[in-house]
Amino acid sequence: MFGGLVGAGTKALGGNRFSLVNLFPPTFLAAYITFLIQIGAYGGGMIKLHGFAFKREDLATFAFGVFVFGVLLRPFQAVLVQFLEGYWSGASLVAVMAELAVERHRRRLYTASVLMQLPTSMPTQTRLDEAVEQARRMAKIRRVRARASSRVRRYPQPKSTGSGSDDRLMPTMLGNALRDGEDTAGGRYGLDMMTVYPRMYPYLSPKLSSAISQQLDLIATTVSLCYVFLVATALSAPLAWRGDWWGIAPLITVALAILTYRGAIRLAYGHGILLATAFDLHRFHMLEGMRYPLPKTAKKEAQFNRRLTAFLVGRRPVTATALKAVTYCHPVAQTGSDSSSSGDADSPAKPDDVDDN
């Protein structure tokens, strides 16, 4: 019965995407709370580890409760990830906190940009001691420049808009990592990822689509673990006043929360690489599917992609946009006689070039 329930719940929650990995965060939290209660950690007296024991019927109830909690948590994983990204809206206090956090990242980015401009050469010294000291200073400057350059690359690049420059910064580093991946993936070709990706997704190769889905699941699970460790820290906070070794339990859970958050950031950068790979390999498949001619040069591609993005974002008909001069490229139907008489009959017709007007 329990196996059938697991199978039904798994199928309802997305098939293979709901796995044991999704059950680990609620399992850890439930087991941690149960462990603290059974050993008497909240009683203030002596902790007895031998008091921790599970009856067979209690274990079945525990497993069923964890599964139900995992089922209920699944729809909220996207919300949890978005909150940790920094999509904070609503109350004015939350908006103020978001702006303060963004300002902090803006200052870090500006400082790193300044440090990247440090001089890389100095006048040559003739004395040995001065030359050694100069070499040490230059080595330190190179390390500072390398760290600053690495920090700048971790942030999304500003976009030029009609009203100035949009710095695209998010309140959290996880949000900045995900946004940088989204902006870079299609932005290199003049495409807006959030607008174009749903049209390109059906053309992704099975391996790449599976890798992107797995990466998203890992990010969601890691973020869920971060929340679990934060909740575990709050629940184990009373142990800090015991005055024994159990007082380090909140410190351990805080350290685990920080590690999982940093892990989510690393996964976010990996997700950005997969998105960039999707655009590198399949953007022309999307254009073919939409019956647009393929551009012959990178310049014409960027021009057309910007016009296509503007059309997809807007609501005006195609005849009233910059795409009105584009000639469609439909595949030519092949017959049996044509394919037998011509060696390249299966090749699609050569598309017309994109009109730059």
Side-chain angles (χ1 to χ4, degrees):
M1 178 179 177
F2 182 71
L5 204 61
V6 171
T10 299
K11 184 177 180 180
L13 292 171
N16 294 331
R17 294 190 64 180
F18 185 81
S19 60
L20 293 177
V21 177
N22 302 105
L23 292 177
F24 181 72
T27 300
F28 174 83
L29 183 60
Y32 185 71
I33 296 173
T34 304
F35 175 76
L36 292 179
I37 293 175
Q38 287 209 4
I39 65 175
Y42 296 115
M46 184 176 179
I47 292 179
K48 299 179 181 179
L49 293 178
H50 63 272
F52 180 73
F54 257 129
K55 297 181 180 179
R56 187 170 299 178
E57 56 272 18
D58 294 338
L59 185 60
T61 304
F62 176 82
F64 179 77
V66 167
F67 173 74
V68 172
F69 185 54
V71 170
L72 296 177
L73 182 64
R74 176 71 177 180
F76 296 99
Q77 282 187 326
V79 178
L80 295 176
V81 173
Q82 289 181 348
F83 184 81
L84 208 57
E85 283 184 69
Y87 289 98
W88 305 337
S89 59
S92 57
L93 180 60
V94 176
V96 171
M97 293 176 60
E99 183 57 34
L100 291 175
V102 170
E103 180 62 25
R104 172 177 173 270
H105 287 289
R106 188 178 294 119
R107 291 176 181 273
R108 293 183 64 190
L109 181 58
Y110 177 76
T111 302
S113 302
V114 172
L115 292 176
M116 287 179 60
Q117 307 303 320
L118 291 175
T120 57
S121 61
M122 298 178 66
T124 305
Q125 301 294 332
T126 57
R127 293 179 52 184
L128 179 60
D129 56 343
E130 293 178 350
V132 171
E133 182 62 26
Q134 183 185 43
R136 291 175 178 172
R137 288 199 301 268
M138 294 307 303
K140 183 177 180 180
I141 288 176
R142 285 193 291 268
R143 291 195 298 269
V144 171
R145 283 171 57 95
R147 288 196 297 265
S149 177
S150 177
R151 174 167 294 180
V152 170
R153 288 196 300 268
R154 291 199 295 265
Y155 283 100
Q157 299 301 308
K159 287 186 176 182
S160 298
T161 60
S163 58
S165 179
D166 179 13
D167 59 12
R168 303 287 293 165
L169 293 178
M170 296 290 291
T172 68
M173 204 61 218
L174 177 62
N176 286 314
L178 289 172
R179 174 162 286 185
D180 179 58
E182 295 168 358
D183 289 351
T184 304
R188 297 175 301 161
Y189 302 107
L191 296 168
D192 179 72
M193 185 266 177
M194 301 304 294
T195 302
V196 175
Y197 187 72
R199 281 91 173 176
M200 191 178 66
Y201 179 77
Y203 301 99
L204 299 184
S205 63
K207 289 184 177 180
L208 184 57
S209 178
S210 176
I212 292 176
S213 298
Q214 291 177 2
Q215 196 79 350
L216 287 173
D217 285 341
L218 284 175
I219 293 174
T221 303
T222 307
V223 168
S224 298
L225 275 174
C226 183
Y227 282 105
V228 163
F229 288 132
L230 290 176
V231 173
T233 301
L235 294 175
S236 58
L239 301 181
W241 284 272
R242 289 184 54 90
D244 53 15
W245 285 103
W246 287 95
I248 66 173
L251 300 178
I252 294 176
T253 52
V254 166
L256 291 174
I258 295 174
L259 288 176
T260 51
Y261 178 71
R262 291 183 176 273
I265 295 175
R266 295 290 297 271
L267 291 172
Y269 287 119
H271 178 63
I273 294 175
L274 291 177
L275 290 179
T277 304
F279 277 86
D280 293 341
L281 301 180
H282 299 291
R283 66 188 189 280
F284 290 131
H285 295 158
M286 177 192 68
L287 294 181
E288 290 176 343
M290 299 175 74
R291 300 298 188 260
Y292 290 127
L294 301 182
K296 294 182 179 179
T297 65
K299 180 180 179 180
K300 292 180 178 180
E301 178 192 2
Q303 293 173 347
F304 178 74
N305 286 345
R306 286 192 291 268
R307 290 152 56 191
L308 177 62
T309 299
F311 166 70
L312 296 177
V313 171
R315 302 179 62 181
R316 301 176 65 189
V318 64
T319 55
T321 67
L323 296 179
K324 61 184 178 182
V326 175
T327 302
Y328 291 112
C329 180
H330 297 289
V332 178
Q334 304 293 335
T335 62
S337 59
D338 292 336
S339 61
S340 60
S341 60
S342 176
D344 58 349
D346 292 334
S347 303
K350 182 179 180 181
D352 295 333
D353 196 7
V354 177
D355 187 2
D356 292 335
N357 297 326

